[in-house]
Amino acid sequence: MLQINASIQLDASQSTRLADAIVARLQQAHPQAVVQRRDLGRAPVPALDAAALAALFTPEEARTPEQAARVAADDALIAELQAADVIVLGVPMYNFGMPAQLKAWLDAVTRARVTFRYTEQGPVGLLTGKRVYVAHARGGRYRGTALDHVTPQLDTHLGFIGLGDVRHVYAEGFAMGDEARAAGLADAARQLAALFDEAADAVAA
């Protein structure tokens, strides 16, 4: 299992706590499963910029040491994703979108001929046979509304690289007072309970 925590709130993050709860449920069903965690708040992935793009388009034998190191860093992220049977993403909503740290990670692992390829029929994702759980945490209540730009963008991007089996869990209302916060946590717990039967079979024995 690969757990990606995208919050900049670190140990105070509600999305990380919800992602931890999903991983714990999976581990209960498969205690032998190995969990690898990457905290993008503590160790952000560099943003895709002109230098990174130049490194990717430079033939391997012609890369400078700096270019080689930049490509190798993305290669390591892709290898983590390729090795995982299950991916758990802890995703807060910032200003109606995903954190920049998560977008940078998605950019790093989206590479032509490695995690997707173009065909005459269109793009084909290459990271197939995996399941993704997304743990959402929001200050307001946005699930199922036009203001939730995070869920559809994630579904589109993950599906593009072959990760089409995605399960979303939402904890919302954290900035709306104690009653809303408690209701949001209770609702997330119900969603987790509903997913647990599926989660029991998600990791290969």
Side-chain angles (χ1 to χ4, degrees):
M1 285 186 284
L2 175 63
Q3 180 179 349
I4 303 293
N5 299 324
S7 176
I8 59 175
Q9 295 199 58
L10 307 180
D11 294 335
S13 166
Q14 294 292 344
S15 62
T16 296
R17 291 172 186 169
L18 186 55
D20 287 343
I22 293 172
V23 169
R25 291 293 189 106
L26 290 165
Q27 286 183 299
Q28 286 175 9
H30 295 276
Q32 79 282 9
V34 176
V35 182
Q36 183 168 358
R37 290 180 172 87
R38 180 171 289 276
D39 191 329
L40 302 179
R42 288 186 166 88
V45 173
L48 181 64
D49 57 12
L53 197 63
L56 287 168
F57 280 95
T58 299
E60 183 177 357
E61 65 276 6
R63 288 171 185 155
T64 66
E66 292 79 12
Q67 288 178 323
R70 182 66 177 84
V71 174
D74 287 357
D75 286 344
L77 299 175
I78 291 171
E80 288 178 352
L81 193 53
Q82 290 171 326
D85 297 304
V86 173
I87 300 98
V88 180
L89 304 178
V91 183
M93 176 188 283
Y94 296 154
N95 298 322
F96 308 110
M98 69 174 67
Q101 290 79 6
L102 182 59
K103 181 59 167 64
W105 178 82
L106 286 168
D107 287 339
V109 300
T110 304
R111 188 185 299 175
R113 298 179 297 281
V114 180
T115 59
F116 76 95
R117 62 185 176 89
Y118 286 112
T119 71
E120 293 181 355
Q121 290 73 41
V124 175
L126 302 178
L127 296 174
T128 56
K130 306 174 187 293
R131 175 169 291 180
V132 181
Y133 292 89
V134 183
H136 298 270
R138 287 96 178 265
R141 294 184 177 130
Y142 301 103
R143 179 185 181 183
T145 75
L147 293 177
D148 180 3
H149 305 292
V150 177
T151 301
Q153 185 179 8
L154 274 175
D155 282 341
T156 298
H157 202 138
L158 294 171
F160 185 83
I161 57 177
L163 300 173
D165 184 3
V166 183
R167 304 288 191 272
H168 297 273
V169 180
Y170 300 83
E172 299 190 302
F174 286 106
M176 299 173 66
D178 291 343
E179 185 175 341
R181 175 189 178 94
L185 289 172
D187 185 39
R190 286 191 293 270
Q191 294 171 59
L192 281 178
L195 280 175
F196 183 63
D197 287 343
E198 296 178 11
D201 296 324
V203 181

